[in-house]
Amino acid sequence: EAGLDLCELCGGPEARTSQVAIRRRLKTGHNFDLVCDVDLGDPMMQTAVAHYINDNNVMIVIMAPSCRAIGPTSKLNYRINPEGWAKSFDADLPHLEFCGRMAILQERKGRFWFAETSFPTWLWTLREWQHVALNPNTKKEVLHQCRLGVKGPNGLPVKKATEVSSNAPELIRQFAGLKCTGQHQHDDMWGKPQ
């Protein structure tokens, strides 16, 4: 039975994927994110969102789980501020695990998922995501955002490494080989003292 083409988990305030999908006349579902008053760390909300995805036969779930406690800067925070890191990790863990469960659900139903996170990431150390990684359909690509045209505050390209993963090879192929060529200057994204 035909359902929604996609919905987003942690899509942010812009829900850019949904915006592009609408322009392409795809049937889009909700953007389940804190900025939309949806707390994916809340078990009752998780149940409601899982029912929504299942009941609407969502073809692909697009996810951008928080990288605050599992992304590149978290390693530094883990070392210099372990209590702060632990607080962030404990707050983020329920929604990180939920995203993994939704990837597993989509695979079991013969549907698709796509996730984007900073690289390197600790996401794949979580139990649910370890299960996802063991699936032979799971593919990953690391890319640099400068190859996608992302600009920093000074208008220069941003080299931020990003990992995309999915059980849809057609999607992952679009990101193959998108590593920086080194032929341009990058914006400094770490900030400078005032």
Side-chain angles (χ1 to χ4, degrees):
E1 177 184 329
L4 295 172
D5 291 311
L6 67 94
C7 76
E8 294 187 66
L9 303 183
C10 315
E14 296 91 16
R16 281 177 251 166
T17 303
S18 293
Q19 290 180 25
V20 171
I22 289 168
R23 286 197 298 267
R24 298 217 183 330
R25 301 195 193 297
L26 297 174
K27 293 184 285 185
T28 62
H30 293 296
N31 172 26
F32 298 103
D33 193 297
L34 270 176
V35 299
C36 304
D37 293 324
V38 176
D39 181 1
L40 292 176
D42 175 0
M44 288 178 54
M45 188 59 72
Q46 289 179 359
T47 300
V49 171
H51 282 299
Y52 176 90
I53 290 169
N54 231 8
D55 294 348
N56 288 286
N57 199 25
V58 176
M59 178 60 70
I60 183 161
V61 175
I62 309 289
M63 307 177 231
S66 174
C67 60
R68 170 176 65 169
I70 60 168
T73 57
S74 66
K75 191 173 185 179
L76 175 63
N77 197 24
Y78 179 79
R79 287 206 170 89
I80 65 172
N81 183 11
E83 290 173 5
W85 175 85
K87 184 177 178 183
S88 295
F89 183 77
D90 291 345
D92 292 348
L93 185 60
H95 96 260
L96 296 169
E97 291 174 333
F98 176 71
C99 287
R101 287 195 302 276
M102 291 304 94
I104 294 166
L105 171 73
Q106 287 293 98
E107 180 73 35
R108 284 187 185 147
K109 296 287 186 173
R111 300 184 306 232
F112 303 100
W113 60 271
F114 180 92
E116 175 271 330
T117 189
S118 295
F119 183 83
T121 180
W122 291 348
L123 185 67
W124 301 100
T125 66
L126 304 177
R127 184 173 36 99
E128 288 80 1
W129 286 99
Q130 287 175 347
H131 181 80
V132 171
L134 290 174
N135 189 311
N137 293 327
T138 297
K139 305 294 181 221
K140 304 176 197 174
E141 277 290 339
V142 175
L143 59 109
H144 293 125
Q145 290 189 5
C146 57
R147 293 294 307 273
L148 299 175
V150 176
K151 306 272 188 202
N154 300 310
L156 295 172
V158 173
K159 189 179 178 182
K160 182 180 175 189
T162 300
E163 181 181 81
V164 293
S165 54
S166 181
N167 66 337
E170 302 85 358
L171 290 176
I172 291 297
R173 273 196 295 272
Q174 306 304 311
F175 297 95
L178 291 179
K179 297 253 173 77
C180 182
T181 61
Q183 298 176 347
H184 51 256
Q185 183 181 355
H186 293 105
D187 221 336
D188 182 3
M189 299 302 292
W190 286 98
K192 295 182 179 165
Q194 298 285 331

